[in-house]
Amino acid sequence: MIYTVTVNPSIDYIVQLKELTLGEVNRMDYDNKLPGGKGINVSRILRELGHDSVALGFLGGKTGEIVREALEHDGLKTDFTPIAQDTRINVKIHAQQETEINGRGPHVSDAEVASFKEQLSHLTADDTVIFAGSLAPNLDSGFYFDLIKMIRQQEAQFVIDTTGESLLKTLPEHPLLVKPNNYELADLFHTTFNGLDDIVAAGRKLLTMGAQHVLVSMAGDGGLMITPDKVYRSLAPKGTVINSVGAGDSMIGGFVGTFAATNDPLEAFRYGLACGSATAFSEDLATRAKIDEILPQIEISEYK
């Protein structure tokens, strides 16, 4: 089973208006309320692809009930840990510019953390846990690392969507997938790249440090998958970028879901690219129809 973990989920209140004028009353043209969180996004993409997952994390109060009910209404399996404080609300304003006002999120007690950890105490080698998104305000990065060690002791796989030193700390535990973009990869090693050969060399370094698969997204230049033996490249499919939010989550969902079903990293790479691009070309996360539309455009070639 694939488990996604969203520690600090939200209701995303999306507001659209032609122009936002500060200090005046503004009237919106459109609004919507959606369950938010990077792990939740991954679960939504897995559902579109027909892969089972269970969405885990913390939910509390009336806002938490709204998130859970919305996910279950959409057919997602959930097993969130209940907490005393309310799940946060994020406001996403689409006007002349996109503006976000994100809530801090609830305090999670020691007892609530212990209850959550119990949910992950029965994993097997057939399971994969995906950590994505910000932590609740009172939790530090040690929260993820404690869970990762517990997961690996049970021989389950894990993916954590993070960058910088936080990413480097996970590598000795052999994450199934790491997914930096080319800029994040350069920052990771405090360097600049002068071409694809430099990117490949840095990606291979991540493999030697413990990563099992390395994907490097390069926006309009496509993406790379770096393995110990070979490097594969795909150019970006054609389309108009409408919304980059969730594209990375979609790429993870496409890769992990396909890899879990096929154990074929090349096919997983193809679906990861298609899902990421399909979301970028959509107003919300990609639908299966949009993913299927993009898939024929994904041409993967071996890069020396």
Side-chain angles (χ1 to χ4, degrees):
M1 177 61 72
I2 300 173
Y3 297 90
T4 65
V5 176
T6 309
V7 176
N8 198 11
S10 64
I11 294 174
D12 284 352
Y13 183 39
I14 299 170
V15 175
Q16 291 184 356
L17 62 164
K18 293 182 179 65
E19 185 173 350
L20 176 66
T21 305
L22 297 179
E24 296 187 10
V25 174
N26 294 268
R27 299 190 184 280
M28 63 187 71
D29 298 319
Y30 166 85
D31 73 304
N32 197 6
K33 303 172 189 68
L34 299 172
K38 292 174 70 63
I40 287 171
N41 291 344
V42 175
S43 274
R44 289 175 62 192
I45 289 296
L46 289 168
R47 178 205 58 195
E48 290 294 325
L49 294 176
H51 302 304
D52 284 338
S53 73
V54 179
L56 305 176
F58 300 103
L59 288 177
K62 292 295 184 183
T63 47
E65 289 179 16
I66 291 171
V67 171
R68 185 181 63 254
E69 289 171 0
L71 296 176
E72 292 176 352
H73 179 268
D74 287 344
L76 270 69
K77 297 177 182 178
T78 70
D79 193 11
F80 285 92
T81 299
I83 59 175
Q85 294 194 3
D86 290 353
T87 294
R88 63 181 175 155
I89 298 174
N90 296 335
V91 181
K92 316 287 186 178
I93 303 171
H94 296 188
Q96 310 98 304
Q97 296 177 314
E98 291 191 5
T99 302
E100 297 189 11
I101 306 172
N102 290 345
R104 281 175 48 79
H107 180 280
V108 181
S109 71
D110 291 344
E112 291 161 351
V113 169
S115 179
F116 173 78
K117 287 182 176 180
E118 177 63 24
Q119 291 179 291
L120 296 177
S121 64
H122 307 291
L123 299 173
T124 72
D126 294 326
D127 296 323
T128 301
V129 182
I130 301 171
F131 298 100
S134 62
L135 290 166
N138 66 301
L139 301 177
D140 60 29
S141 59
F143 173 80
Y144 276 150
F145 300 133
D146 290 345
L147 293 176
I148 287 168
K149 289 179 180 178
M150 183 175 72
I151 288 166
R152 294 303 285 156
Q153 286 171 357
Q154 298 170 84
E155 299 184 347
Q157 303 279 8
F158 80 94
V159 175
I160 181 168
D161 187 10
T162 187
T163 59
E165 289 299 318
S166 296
L167 172 60
L168 293 177
K169 288 179 181 178
T170 71
L171 295 178
E173 299 297 332
H174 305 293
L176 175 65
L177 171 69
V178 296
K179 188 198 64 60
N181 63 39
N182 52 321
Y183 299 108
E184 292 166 342
L185 185 59
D187 289 343
L188 196 63
F189 295 117
H190 310 290
T191 188
T192 56
F193 296 140
N194 295 314
L196 286 179
D197 288 349
D198 290 347
I199 297 174
V200 170
R204 284 193 168 132
K205 189 172 182 179
L206 292 179
L207 291 175
T208 64
M209 296 171 74
Q212 297 182 51
H213 301 90
V214 176
L215 301 188
V216 182
S217 55
M218 302 183 296
D221 291 326
L224 296 170
M225 181 172 72
I226 303 166
T227 74
D229 302 318
K230 295 182 179 181
V231 178
Y232 298 95
R233 184 186 183 190
S234 175
L235 299 178
K238 295 179 180 179
T240 301
V241 174
I242 298 173
N243 168 37
S244 61
V245 176
D249 308 329
S250 301
M251 191 174 187
I252 289 174
F255 184 96
V256 174
T258 305
F259 186 81
T262 66
N263 204 37
D264 182 344
L266 199 58
E267 186 70 355
F269 181 41
R270 189 167 78 95
Y271 268 87
L273 291 166
C275 290
S277 295
T279 287
F281 300 159
S282 304
E283 291 187 358
D284 190 13
L285 293 182
T287 63
R288 181 58 192 258
K290 190 66 175 180
I291 295 167
D292 288 344
E293 176 188 326
I294 298 296
L295 271 170
Q297 296 186 48
I298 304 298
E299 297 182 359
I300 298 172
S301 59
E302 191 173 331
Y303 178 77
K304 53 182 178 179

